[in-house]
Amino acid sequence: MVTTSRLIAYLSLAISLAGVIPLFVWLETFPRLIVVLGLAIGMLQELRQGRWYIKSWQLNLALVPIFIWYILQYSRSNPVQPVVSVLAIMLAVRLCGEKNTRNLLQINLLALFCLASTSLFDLSPTFLFWLGLLLLLLPVSLIVLTFHAQNSRLVLQNSEFRKILMAALLILLVTLPAMAVLFPVLPRTAFPLWHFLNPPVSATTGISDKVEPGSTANAAETRSLAFRAELPRQTQPPYWRVTVFNQIQGNRWSRNPVVPLEVSIPSGASVSQTITVEPSASRLLISLDTAAEISLPRLKVAPDAVFENLRSFSRRTSYTARSFTGGILTGSVPIRRAFYLTLPGKLSPGIRQLAARIRQEGRSDAERLERAEQHFLNGGYRYSRVGLPTGHDALDQFLFVSKQGHCEFFASSLAILLRAAGVPARLVGGYLGGEYNELGGYYLVSEDRAHVWVEAYVEGKGWVRTDPSRFAVNAATLWSERKKPGIAARLRLLLDALDYRWTRTVVSYDFERQAEQLRSAGAKLQTLEHAMRWRWLLSSGVILLVLLALFKSRKQWFCSREERLLRRFKRIVKHRFEALDGLDTLGLFEIAAASGDIRVRQFVDRYAAAVYQDKKLGPDEIRQLDRLLDELQ
Amino acid sequence: MAIAHTVKPVTVLVDALCKDHLQGKDEVVRLAVIALLTGGHILVEDLPGLGKTTIALALAGITGLSFGRVQCTSDLLPSDITGLSVFNRETGHFNFVPGPVFNNIVLLDEINRAMPRTQSAMLEAMEERRVTVEGTTHQLPDPFMVFATQNPSDQSGTFPLPESQLDRFLICTGIGYPPEQLERSIIAGGGIRERIAGITPLVSTAEILTARRVVEQSIYLADKVVGYIHALVQSTRLHPQIQTGLSTRAAINLAQAARAAAFLAGRDYVAPDDVKGIAVAVCAHRLVMRPGQTIQDRGELLREIISGIPLPLV
């Protein structure tokens, strides 16, 4: 039992919270404060049973200067914040003020607007949750408000409240088919409007345009998401090839945009994948190992199989790619060896000696590469992100003194060694591994997975991938598959899978996809075979029947226990006493008298005693009545 | 299901009467007892010789109530019913000699043979439960119940009761011929007037008054049953063949009678069946048909209307 006024107070608080919480993170400090204040005062008023300290008109008057101030703030470069702030402040003010029916309706509307305005900032699946919550609460609030407007002292029984809840749920359910129809048809934006107007400062990627070991002592790590790649799970941690650094100056590797011509054909098993990248300033395209093709309308492919988009990704974007995972790029045309053998002006004597030894021991590119790899394998190097050698002789220190460093040290020193030993080599930047999300069927790759490895050119074979970091003594612990994830990790993966699905199916659902769906639907209809058609007809018929049956039995689901008992009683009596006609026009006692059955009489006596004295049947009584009916049956 | 023990005998009154004395008249007896329990009056409308008077006598006998009888004729005067003051020579005063109306159960035989003037005097007593003779008001005894009989109005020498006066009767019913087997045994056994004279009372006056209070106060009438009564009344008002539907007084009487019927059924709450069971007896005589529609029996029409109203079962 609850009075409507109390119920409405709770509902309006819940609605305001549902509207304002998702918006809160995007608000500026002042509106945030006002919102918190408004909510607090609203709750206090409820606790003090609705005594108003501030008159409505005073509050409205106080709003005017704020309103004017925000109007002045409004400009083309800042169109959203003032509007959103005013919305939030108005909601907060309504919460503090007196709550008559009109004000309560305003609260409902403002909360809905607040939630809607969050989509200007962000298109995340949590929006769906808040929207669902509001869509459930609002009809309840509206129904209760209509009662409240009629009689403000009304007290709702629990059963009545349950009925209202059911009605609200029903309204929500009824709107679902309409939503399903509208979703593919309505035009939409695939990115938040606000971000479109003001592109955010792009997140820095783990991949930079240069590799310079020895510039810092400690490498920073960010766990922010780089991209997701939807493809079957790979047996080995996959290499995500992004860019190639082909020239070295001092200790710094960078990419010379004038890449010497080569024809490289990737080999190995072909894998198709869908990559969804986070917004970033980088225009380089990511793919598993070496991509053969990427389905984006405008892109540039360098001869060394580096794919570049013509513009950066201002929003989360998906593209599909086909790759080969062999790790070897077969060249059919001789490469410009000189370009890939260029060394920095000065090499330390240690490196020079080591390179000379490798050169002597190995006769071919393949042998020299093997010797160089052997050096790393047997050298006892450790992979570490801290305590890195710095300075201009950092590589020398890494190779011969400290013997610990991160991938840049490994790759950089191997490439230099190879070049010095006469084997063409280059650095490849990308990502290694990733967390496989079994639920979503995709790899989740964060920025800290950024990695650098080496491609060496072996005459007769082509560019061969070699990753010296894997030869570190502690490599097994670093790149081996992690053990079973804990509950928190699994929950995170589940949420991420939801987020991913939301992006793939809702946010990036655009006009292209709409047209594609129509086309594929048409094509499917044409190719549908007769047998298939029958099956289809049959299944839809069955579904229709089920729906009809559900519709017929809807009263069964939505009725009180008394009604259920009565219906069962009538059915049994009709079945047992076929001679009784006009059962529907008879009263209970008339039925009892006409049937002449003592159990019918007992049922009627007990049932009627409750029903006609406005008493609820207790669970015990219902059990007894059911037992009587069982006997009758 | 909790009818107080003290009033238990009243509920078995009908059974006792019908089993031993008035075979085949269960319905009329039940209605008469209902009238008695609600403080209403009953009008029995049927041909002479079907036992109207017998029922009234038996009812008076078994309840131990005093019984008065007025045989209405066209020259009957109001004072013949109410009584009159007679000059007493010895005391030199006028003494009031009460008429037959000063009894608990008054049989008004063939009420439609009396002149309208006499009828209205009687009906006034029924409504007010007191009689004013020559400026002095005399209270009638309690319980007070009029058991009027009337011959079908197409018989000669009758003054039909106007609607407003018919409305005063809680119940109007017929008797009908007894079933064949029963009638044969009645023929063989002869009349039962003598036996009725020797009937022993089953209940006391106090018990009847208590029962009446129980009916009035302790029988629960649920909202849904009130709704049913209202739906019934409403549909008589909207029916195309009926000129004047049931009045609010009729609805009140219906509820009262339903309470009494529930009481007699041994229940302390009213079921819609109770309403349905006595609706024709309580309501049919109050309906005023449209001109040209008088051919159809009012009882039949009402039964038809009732069968169209769904009973509240949940």
Side-chain angles (χ1 to χ4, degrees):
Chain A
M1 273 205 311
V2 59
T3 57
T4 50
S5 52
R6 185 137 270 239
L7 195 60
I8 279 179
Y10 291 149
L11 276 171
S12 63
L13 267 177
I15 286 172
S16 333
L17 280 174
V20 110
I21 287 177
L23 182 64
F24 198 74
V25 288
W26 304 101
L27 284 177
E28 288 166 347
T29 319
F30 176 64
R32 268 190 197 182
L33 281 178
I34 299 274
V35 163
V36 171
L37 207 67
L39 281 168
I41 293 180
M43 280 178 205
L44 265 179
Q45 277 179 344
E46 191 39 44
L47 283 180
R48 288 176 170 268
Q49 293 292 312
R51 256 179 270 153
W52 319 109
Y53 293 108
I54 315 171
K55 292 261 191 299
S56 245
W57 63 266
Q58 289 168 332
L59 280 171
N60 289 340
L61 213 62
L63 260 181
V64 173
I66 297 176
F67 202 73
I68 291 172
W69 194 73
Y70 275 112
I71 284 177
L72 293 178
Q73 291 284 306
Y74 185 88
S75 69
R76 267 180 71 185
S77 62
N78 185 22
V80 177
Q81 271 300 340
V83 178
V84 172
S85 305
V86 165
L87 271 178
I89 292 171
M90 275 164 72
L91 178 63
V93 165
R94 276 286 156 267
L95 279 174
C96 316
E98 187 189 358
K99 293 190 188 76
N100 54 30
T101 311
R102 189 186 135 109
N103 292 348
L104 287 164
L105 281 174
Q106 284 172 353
I107 288 177
N108 289 355
L109 202 61
L110 282 170
L112 201 57
F113 281 167
C114 279
L115 180 67
S117 64
T118 54
S119 66
L120 292 173
F121 299 102
D122 178 34
L123 296 175
S124 80
T126 49
F127 178 80
L128 200 66
F129 166 77
W130 295 112
L131 184 69
L133 191 66
L134 264 191
L135 287 186
L136 182 65
L137 286 174
L138 281 176
V140 176
S141 161
L142 287 180
I143 294 171
V144 178
L145 257 179
T146 47
F147 285 124
H148 184 73
Q150 289 293 319
N151 177 6
S152 56
R153 299 232 180 103
L154 197 67
V155 176
L156 281 181
Q157 303 295 325
N158 281 342
S159 60
E160 290 167 325
F161 182 62
R162 260 205 301 279
K163 268 186 198 158
I164 290 175
L165 262 184
M166 286 301 281
L169 259 180
L170 222 63
I171 290 172
L172 197 63
L173 281 179
V174 167
T175 55
L176 278 183
M179 285 194 219
V181 171
L182 287 178
F183 175 77
V185 184
L186 280 184
R188 70 201 56 248
T189 141
F191 36 86
L193 220 52
W194 176 226
H195 283 202
F196 173 63
L197 296 168
N198 278 28
V201 184
S202 302
T204 52
T205 63
I207 294 184
S208 55
D209 52 356
K210 62 182 194 299
V211 170
E212 192 176 11
S215 54
T216 53
N218 298 317
E221 265 186 72
T222 55
R223 289 278 296 164
S224 68
L225 179 66
F227 66 97
R228 297 179 178 104
E230 192 175 341
L231 75 162
R233 190 183 199 127
Q234 304 292 304
T235 45
Q236 291 292 317
Y239 282 91
W240 311 95
R241 194 175 188 269
V242 179
T243 187
V244 169
F245 305 105
N246 49 18
Q247 66 181 11
I248 182 164
Q249 287 156 330
N251 267 350
R252 176 190 295 171
W253 287 87
S254 61
R255 178 172 177 77
N256 187 342
V258 188
V259 181
L261 192 72
E262 62 182 90
V263 179
S264 308
I265 302 152
S267 62
S270 156
V271 177
S272 285
Q273 73 231 258
T274 305
I275 311 272
T276 307
V277 291
E278 294 296 297
S280 86
S282 167
R283 286 186 278 179
L284 295 166
L285 293 173
I286 301 158
S287 66
L288 175 66
D289 219 325
T290 316
E293 56 188 87
I294 286 181
S295 68
L296 273 176
R298 285 176 299 165
L299 47 79
K300 208 168 79 186
V301 189
D304 53 2
V306 171
F307 289 71
E308 200 173 335
N309 201 19
L310 287 187
R311 47 175 300 184
S312 61
F313 298 107
S314 57
R315 59 174 161 120
R316 204 179 266 183
T317 314
S318 292
Y319 55 86
T320 57
R322 202 161 56 81
S323 320
F324 293 90
T325 55
I328 297 175
L329 283 161
T330 320
S332 56
V333 179
I335 59 154
R336 258 179 67 190
R337 285 184 79 99
F339 180 80
Y340 289 109
L341 288 173
T342 315
L343 286 164
K346 225 175 84 188
L347 275 183
S348 75
I351 295 179
R352 226 178 262 283
Q353 273 179 15
L354 185 58
R357 215 173 65 223
I358 291 171
R359 193 184 193 127
Q360 274 181 355
E361 285 174 5
R363 290 167 179 257
S364 63
D365 291 342
E367 282 181 22
R368 287 169 185 160
L369 173 60
E370 207 191 317
R371 291 284 181 283
E373 285 176 349
Q374 287 289 332
H375 175 78
F376 280 93
L377 197 58
N378 302 327
Y381 291 97
R382 280 183 62 81
Y383 187 94
S384 166
R385 285 174 184 271
V386 292
L388 306 172
T390 52
H392 63 276
D393 62 341
L395 281 184
D396 202 46
Q397 285 202 21
F398 163 71
L399 273 175
F400 306 114
V401 184
S402 73
K403 294 202 172 187
Q404 66 173 16
H406 55 65
C407 58
E408 290 186 5
F409 284 91
F410 281 90
S412 190
S413 48
L414 176 63
I416 288 174
L417 273 178
L418 283 174
R419 281 189 176 194
V423 180
R426 62 192 181 191
L427 248 59
V428 179
Y431 298 88
L432 173 61
E435 200 169 3
Y436 194 72
N437 191 332
E438 296 283 358
L439 278 165
Y442 59 85
Y443 275 100
L444 195 68
V445 183
S446 49
E447 292 292 358
D448 64 335
R449 300 255 179 196
H451 190 60
V452 177
W453 62 93
V454 174
E455 274 178 1
Y457 191 81
V458 177
E459 198 67 54
K461 251 175 140 184
W463 289 105
V464 178
R465 183 179 66 214
T466 172
D467 184 359
S469 312
R470 311 269 302 192
F471 302 136
V473 287
N474 57 347
T477 54
L478 281 170
W479 282 289
S480 62
E481 277 287 305
R482 284 186 200 157
K483 48 190 188 303
K484 236 181 154 184
I487 289 177
R490 260 184 284 174
L491 192 69
R492 190 172 53 77
L493 285 180
L494 171 73
L495 288 178
D496 193 76
L498 286 178
D499 189 34
Y500 179 66
R501 281 290 144 220
W502 166 261
T503 309
R504 293 274 292 135
T505 56
V506 179
V507 175
S508 61
Y509 189 96
D510 50 12
F511 179 72
E512 241 172 83
R513 204 81 77 79
Q514 287 172 343
E516 191 182 304
Q517 291 244 317
L518 272 179
R519 254 204 320 277
S520 76
K524 260 184 206 157
L525 271 180
Q526 277 175 355
T527 56
L528 214 59
E529 290 192 4
H530 262 287
M532 281 295 289
R533 203 169 292 180
W534 273 112
R535 210 175 299 161
W536 191 79
L537 269 178
L538 207 69
S539 56
S540 55
V542 166
I543 290 171
L544 207 69
L545 276 178
V546 168
L547 283 178
L548 264 178
L550 279 176
F551 184 73
K552 281 283 264 185
S553 62
R554 68 196 188 284
K555 280 191 178 164
Q556 286 275 336
W557 306 101
F558 298 109
C559 64
S560 63
R561 287 176 289 193
E562 283 83 357
E563 272 176 276
R564 230 180 333 247
L565 266 177
L566 180 72
R567 203 163 299 123
R568 185 163 172 229
F569 169 72
K570 273 191 167 177
R571 207 167 45 231
I572 290 171
V573 166
K574 199 177 270 175
H575 182 72
R576 236 181 112 95
F577 309 98
E578 281 165 358
L580 274 179
D581 9 295
L583 194 65
D584 295 329
T585 62
L586 288 183
L588 290 170
F589 289 96
E590 287 173 313
I591 293 174
S595 72
D597 191 305
I598 182 76
R599 283 159 307 185
V600 177
R601 178 83 212 179
Q602 282 171 346
F603 176 88
V604 166
D605 278 344
R606 284 190 192 168
Y607 177 81
V611 166
Y612 295 131
Q613 296 193 77
D614 294 332
K615 288 176 191 159
K616 277 265 165 217
L617 282 170
D620 277 351
E621 281 174 303
I622 285 183
R623 220 168 299 127
Q624 283 175 352
L625 288 173
D626 265 328
R627 207 171 304 132
L628 268 175
L629 288 180
D630 287 342
E631 281 173 33
L632 263 175
Q633 213 162 25
Chain B
M1 283 291 164
I3 296 292
H5 184 68
T6 49
V7 289
K8 204 77 191 167
V10 182
T11 59
V12 297
L13 210 58
V14 180
D15 289 338
L17 262 179
C18 296
K19 214 170 91 198
D20 301 338
H21 310 289
L22 302 163
Q23 280 121 352
K25 299 192 175 53
D26 306 32
E27 190 52 27
V28 187
V29 173
R30 198 172 76 91
L31 291 172
V33 175
I34 286 173
L36 181 67
L37 286 175
T38 46
H41 312 288
I42 183 169
L43 176 64
V44 181
E45 189 177 27
D46 222 322
L47 295 164
L50 290 174
K52 293 175 290 211
T53 319
T54 317
I55 294 170
L57 277 172
L59 187 61
I62 203 147
T63 52
L65 295 171
S66 65
F67 181 77
R69 173 180 184 145
V70 182
Q71 183 66 47
C72 296
T73 55
S74 54
D75 56 355
L76 185 78
L77 293 173
S79 58
D80 292 337
I81 298 174
T82 57
L84 70 174
S85 299
V86 180
F87 184 72
N88 189 334
R89 264 194 227 168
E90 286 165 24
T91 57
H93 289 293
F94 277 98
N95 279 355
F96 180 68
V97 179
V101 82
F102 288 88
N103 280 303
N104 293 118
I105 293 178
V106 180
L107 175 65
L108 278 183
D109 221 357
E110 303 187 79
I111 186 172
N112 56 346
R113 285 196 187 280
M115 283 181 300
R117 181 175 161 228
T118 317
Q119 283 175 4
S120 63
M122 188 59 221
L123 293 166
E124 193 191 326
M126 285 163 62
E127 190 68 15
E128 306 287 325
R129 283 161 206 279
R130 60 179 181 223
V131 173
T132 308
V133 183
E134 290 151 22
T136 320
T137 301
H138 305 275
Q139 205 64 40
L140 292 178
D142 194 28
F144 172 70
M145 172 183 164
V146 171
F147 194 104
T149 72
Q150 118 173 316
N151 295 328
S153 53
D154 50 346
Q155 288 203 340
S156 56
T158 55
F159 303 93
L161 290 167
E163 281 84 19
S164 62
Q165 296 190 341
L166 273 176
D167 206 24
R168 304 262 156 90
F169 285 101
L170 177 81
I171 283 167
C172 176
T173 182
I175 294 179
Y177 295 107
E180 188 188 337
Q181 201 57 44
L182 199 60
E183 192 162 25
R184 277 167 195 263
S185 67
I186 292 171
I187 295 167
I192 55 162
R193 284 281 176 91
E194 290 75 29
R195 273 197 278 149
I196 282 172
I199 231 167
T200 43
L202 265 182
V203 292
S204 67
T205 311
E207 272 172 339
I208 286 179
L209 288 175
T210 317
R212 196 188 266 184
R213 209 168 46 249
V214 168
V215 167
E216 199 180 347
Q217 292 165 359
S218 313
I219 306 288
Y220 186 81
L221 183 66
D223 264 352
K224 42 197 136 192
V225 183
V226 172
Y228 178 66
I229 293 175
H230 186 258
L232 200 162
V233 172
Q234 196 67 23
S235 55
T236 65
R237 292 171 187 166
L238 299 173
H239 198 274
Q241 294 182 1
I242 298 171
Q243 189 171 36
T244 313
L246 294 173
S247 63
T248 308
R249 172 157 59 191
I252 295 170
N253 286 347
L254 187 54
Q256 282 175 333
R259 280 196 163 108
F263 174 81
L264 284 187
R267 275 182 274 119
D268 61 351
Y269 58 88
V270 181
D273 306 49
D274 301 321
V275 179
K276 195 179 169 189
I278 44 90
V280 173
V282 175
C283 302
H285 63 284
R286 306 179 204 233
L287 296 176
V288 180
M289 310 292 281
R290 280 196 193 282
Q293 300 285 356
T294 42
I295 306 112
Q296 194 181 1
D297 182 38
R298 286 180 290 193
E300 280 306 314
L301 179 67
L302 194 59
R303 238 165 250 133
E304 211 173 89
I305 292 174
I306 291 170
S307 69
I309 303 170
L311 279 86
L313 298 181
V314 182

